[in-house]
Amino acid sequence: MDESPARYAAVCVDHPLPQLNQLFDYRVPVELLDEVRPGCRVAVRFNGRKLKATVMELRDRTDFPGKILPVLETVPPGPVLTAEVAAAARRVADRYAGNLADVLRLALPERKLRVEKEVPAEPLQVEAPNHALWNRYIAGEAFLRALGAGKQPRIVWNAVPGEDWAARLAEAAAAAAAAGRGALLVVPDQYDLERLDAALNNVLGPDRHVTISNAMGPTPRYRSFLKALRGEVRVVAGTQVAMLAPVERLGLVAVWDDGDKNLISLHAPYPHARDVLLTRAELAGAACVVGGFSRTPQAQLLVETGWAVSAVGERDALRAAAPRVVPIGDDADLAADPSSSTARLPTVAWEAARKALNDDLPVLLQVPRRGYVPAVSCQRCRTRALCPECTGPLRLTGPRRPPVCTWCGRVDEQYRCKECGSTRIRANVIGAARTAEELASAFPGVEVVESNASERLDAIPRGRRIVVSTPGVEPAAPQGYGAVLLLDTWAQLTRAELTASEEALRIWMNAVALCAPRGTAVVTADGGLPVVQALIRWDPAWFARLELDERAELGFPPVMKFAALTGPNGEAEKIAANLPAGLHAEAIGPIPVDEHTERLLLRVRRRDGAALASVLAKAAAERSSAKAEQVKIQIDPREIA
């Protein structure tokens, strides 16, 4: 057998062109034989330019008949791409019809020379955690025990109301680390990451984990990356940018609140962190947790196919933790309280708020829209009020202020309805700011605060106060809220989107989970709706099964595979026309995006999803080579409407 070292490096060149989505062979000079290794970064000459590239493998020979150029130099600090991450990156690129170079760009952070000079630290030991609070869940203790034994249990976990989910994930990470394996935990946003970071410090001890997110800046992020790569820590937590982080001997992957759109990468090929982590679990033989207060149909499909086990709260644990949920909106409610159909705060909600404040507990109101009055219409004929300059929707920014255009910012000092000529307007939607103003008048002497995406409150102190929040940014209360009021639920339920009910339940459950066990949650919706029933019974698994069955009947994701093609008018249709007949792809659309752009959906059977992605990737490469107009390809788009 020839024991001579490999002389050719198969590299992925850092270039976004689809036609370059392949490996290129380069000769390894004798002087670099000891430095060029799989996973290291190198500089190469490509098409007359000096480009960076990543070495994917070393070969003894090459099939390329032309001249083989040499590797110019290696880029410190040596191999930065592990074999497991490299395999996952290839799978992700193939699944999403993307370029390997784009996926590697998501995996490898910007290099910082100063960080590379820091002396590595020895990894610290982690003690096995207490299993006590996982006992509240069916299969919970068995999951942690199997994890500690080095096995690969997989669960779809729904937390009970009030659960310290970050502590439970930290305990799972500790079980993996105590068994000598690594853990990778991904959450939707920086707020969740800060909570998880604190829990990991508490459970693991200091200096036993790192966090990775865009918010921390390039230098700290690269430091965390190197610590994980070198095995200085076994546990990595982060937002979706951490989904391809290197973890030594990966034994656990976990994603929290997988229905949150923040878990979808904004960069091509737009992978979802949940699916990336599932891929890594398969490749590494790792355990997996897909967790949340609610449950997505995608997570339910993992249970239905036997890939994972459902871990939900025992009935006694649910009864002890869940607040009373009261719906308002059916005929009986209207008969008992006729004003509830028009009142901003129905009587039941008013009484729940007053009782909580009398008990010196805070009250949370969840309002779907931020701002003062986000949408207005004519007082007389109800025609939507539009900007006379650009036809954008008008809104109010405060009391006694003229309407302002949402699109161009023009102030309409002389508003007049184009249909009836009236100069008076009415509110279509009440925003969080206006709600806070109304409540301050209704409850004199009670502090009213607002939490929204731009001015988020992480937590509130003890005591009576009213918090008005938009979905997803509700602050935690030390003893829980005495009352949680879910207002304007129609704004979520009537959205013309496939995920409208699923998303409504997710944001409602996340809010109600902040309620104290003896508190009251009021939802201004018909109690007969399945989504409201799921909230009342705290049974997201039941609702996820309903959603999955309905989507199977209608041929929607995740039962079927979809691809969205967005580009200049007519271009997406050209791609669809050339698809192989054996795919049995159904084209839906095209749907106009604007005057010059359209969106076409392609639907195939789930088992043909990989073949569709491969065909679309090839089509993108051919179009790029021919310098045709670009068409954006998204596999498993979040929205198909």
Side-chain angles (χ1 to χ4, degrees):
M1 180 179 295
D2 184 7
E3 297 294 335
S4 62
R7 296 185 300 115
Y8 299 98
V11 307
C12 176
V13 178
D14 286 359
H15 204 290
L17 289 178
Q19 65 265 38
L20 302 183
N21 187 29
Q22 58 181 298
L23 301 185
F24 296 90
D25 288 347
Y26 282 82
R27 177 171 52 83
V28 181
V30 174
E31 63 271 19
L32 296 180
L33 283 176
D34 293 334
E35 298 179 33
V36 176
R37 292 286 182 268
C40 77
R41 302 277 286 165
V42 296
V44 297
R45 186 72 60 184
F46 188 88
N47 199 24
R49 298 169 55 196
K50 183 178 179 180
L51 298 178
K52 293 290 192 302
T54 306
V55 178
M56 303 305 293
E57 58 183 274
L58 295 178
R59 298 170 176 170
D60 292 331
R61 56 186 298 275
T62 177
D63 295 328
F64 184 68
K67 181 180 179 181
I68 304 296
L69 297 176
V71 172
L72 299 178
E73 60 187 8
T74 58
V75 178
V80 291
L81 184 70
T82 66
E84 182 262 320
V85 174
R90 180 71 270 175
R91 287 268 192 98
V92 170
D94 291 343
R95 179 174 187 227
Y96 286 93
N99 294 350
L100 178 59
D102 287 335
V103 179
L104 294 181
R105 204 170 293 118
L106 299 177
L108 303 176
E110 180 184 351
R111 183 184 174 215
K112 296 295 177 182
L113 295 175
R114 181 166 57 87
V115 177
E116 293 171 1
K117 298 176 182 178
E118 296 174 357
V119 179
E122 288 295 322
L124 300 174
Q125 294 300 311
V126 174
E127 296 183 3
N130 188 329
H131 296 191
L133 290 177
W134 273 97
N135 291 349
R136 298 196 290 176
Y137 299 95
I138 297 171
E141 185 179 12
F143 164 76
L144 224 61
R145 191 165 51 244
L147 188 58
K151 298 179 181 179
Q152 49 181 341
R154 300 161 178 166
I155 61 170
V156 173
W157 169 49
N158 288 121
V160 299
E163 179 64 275
D164 187 352
W165 57 266
R168 303 292 83 76
L169 290 182
E171 289 162 2
R181 304 189 73 185
L184 175 57
L185 317 174
V186 175
V187 294
D189 57 37
Q190 188 65 27
Y191 171 79
D192 291 330
L193 181 57
E194 289 170 2
R195 183 173 177 181
L196 181 57
D197 181 33
L200 288 167
N201 272 322
N202 185 50
V203 174
L204 304 180
D207 302 321
R208 288 168 172 82
H209 81 282
V210 294
T211 61
I212 295 177
S213 73
N214 280 332
M216 63 196 306
T219 298
R221 180 180 171 184
Y222 189 57
R223 180 178 292 113
S224 293
F225 173 84
L226 286 185
K227 283 180 175 289
L229 178 69
R230 293 166 174 168
E232 297 177 49
V233 294
R234 289 198 176 100
V235 178
V236 176
T239 56
Q240 54 89 8
V241 299
M243 59 188 171
L244 287 167
V247 177
E248 191 174 71
R249 296 194 65 216
L250 185 62
L252 169 69
V253 298
V255 59
W256 174 256
D257 200 11
D258 68 298
D260 195 310
K261 65 181 180 181
N262 288 325
L263 291 168
I264 302 174
S265 176
L266 297 176
H267 303 286
Y270 318 104
H272 194 298
R274 175 195 58 231
D275 299 324
V276 173
L277 293 180
L278 296 181
T279 298
R280 296 191 66 176
E282 287 276 12
L283 291 170
C288 181
V289 178
V290 178
F293 289 113
S294 64
R295 180 178 294 189
T296 61
Q298 287 81 0
Q300 181 61 27
L301 186 62
L302 298 176
V303 175
E304 301 277 336
T305 57
W307 194 90
V309 172
S310 180
V312 296
E314 299 276 5
R315 295 313 303 175
D316 289 344
L318 277 176
R319 279 193 289 268
R324 184 171 69 104
V325 179
V326 181
I328 300 175
D330 60 17
D331 292 340
D333 298 327
L334 295 176
D337 181 15
S339 66
S340 65
S341 63
T342 57
R344 180 70 177 143
L345 206 62
T347 302
V348 173
W350 183 281
E351 292 175 349
R354 186 173 57 185
K355 180 180 183 304
L357 295 172
N358 289 340
D359 292 340
D360 203 31
L361 290 173
V363 174
L364 173 66
L365 281 85
Q366 186 190 76
V367 182
R369 299 283 293 274
R370 60 181 294 186
Y372 192 73
V373 179
V376 293
S377 62
C378 172
Q379 175 72 40
R380 181 188 297 167
C381 69
R382 303 297 195 262
T383 299
R384 183 73 179 269
L386 301 177
C387 174
E389 191 71 29
C390 70
T391 70
L394 296 180
R395 62 188 173 93
L396 296 181
T397 58
R400 294 178 296 281
R401 293 181 184 176
V404 178
C405 179
T406 302
W407 293 357
C408 69
R410 180 183 184 275
V411 178
D412 193 352
E413 299 275 5
Q414 305 291 328
Y415 168 76
R416 183 175 294 276
C417 177
K418 64 179 182 179
E419 296 295 330
C420 69
S422 173
T423 59
R424 301 184 64 188
I425 58 175
R426 68 186 296 273
N428 283 359
V429 179
I430 301 297
R434 173 67 178 272
T435 302
E437 182 183 277
E438 292 176 351
L439 290 169
S441 300
F443 293 94
V446 178
E447 181 185 9
V448 180
V449 296
E450 186 181 349
S451 179
N452 54 54
S454 59
E455 297 179 348
R456 180 172 187 165
L457 300 176
D458 292 343
I460 60 171
R462 293 176 182 269
R464 63 200 303 259
R465 61 180 38 79
I466 296 175
V467 179
V468 180
S469 175
T470 50
V473 293
E474 301 89 352
Q479 297 174 295
Y481 289 94
V484 172
L485 313 179
L486 308 175
L487 304 184
D488 300 336
T489 56
W490 56 267
Q492 288 291 339
L493 294 176
T494 58
R495 291 167 60 191
E497 297 174 359
L498 175 68
T499 59
S501 295
E502 170 197 334
E503 178 67 5
L505 183 60
R506 187 184 74 83
I507 64 174
W508 295 348
M509 295 191 99
N510 286 350
V512 173
L514 300 174
C515 194
R518 294 185 179 180
T520 300
V522 178
V523 52
T524 56
D526 186 344
L529 296 174
V531 64
V532 180
Q533 279 294 308
L535 179 66
I536 294 171
R537 306 200 315 251
W538 202 265
D539 195 352
W542 169 77
F543 184 74
R545 283 194 297 272
L546 288 182
E547 282 282 293
L548 192 60
D549 290 344
E550 183 176 348
R551 295 188 192 184
E553 184 177 343
L554 297 174
F556 284 152
V559 180
M560 300 286 281
K561 296 290 285 186
F562 272 68
L565 312 182
T566 307
N569 292 339
E571 297 302 316
E573 294 166 275
K574 292 178 184 178
I575 295 177
N578 292 321
L579 294 177
L583 275 178
H584 302 290
E586 178 186 357
I588 303 174
I591 306 162
V593 175
D594 56 38
E595 185 179 354
H596 306 289
T597 311
E598 66 183 17
R599 187 169 186 255
L600 181 72
L601 297 174
L602 297 174
R603 173 166 59 185
V604 298
R605 296 166 297 188
R606 187 168 185 81
R607 65 173 180 266
D608 293 325
L612 175 63
S614 177
V615 169
L616 292 177
K618 183 179 179 182
E622 292 173 349
R623 289 179 61 83
S624 181
S625 296
K627 294 183 170 51
E629 294 185 273
Q630 283 193 337
V631 173
K632 179 181 177 181
I633 298 173
Q634 287 179 282
I635 303 295
D636 294 333
R638 177 178 170 84
E639 304 299 343
I640 64 172

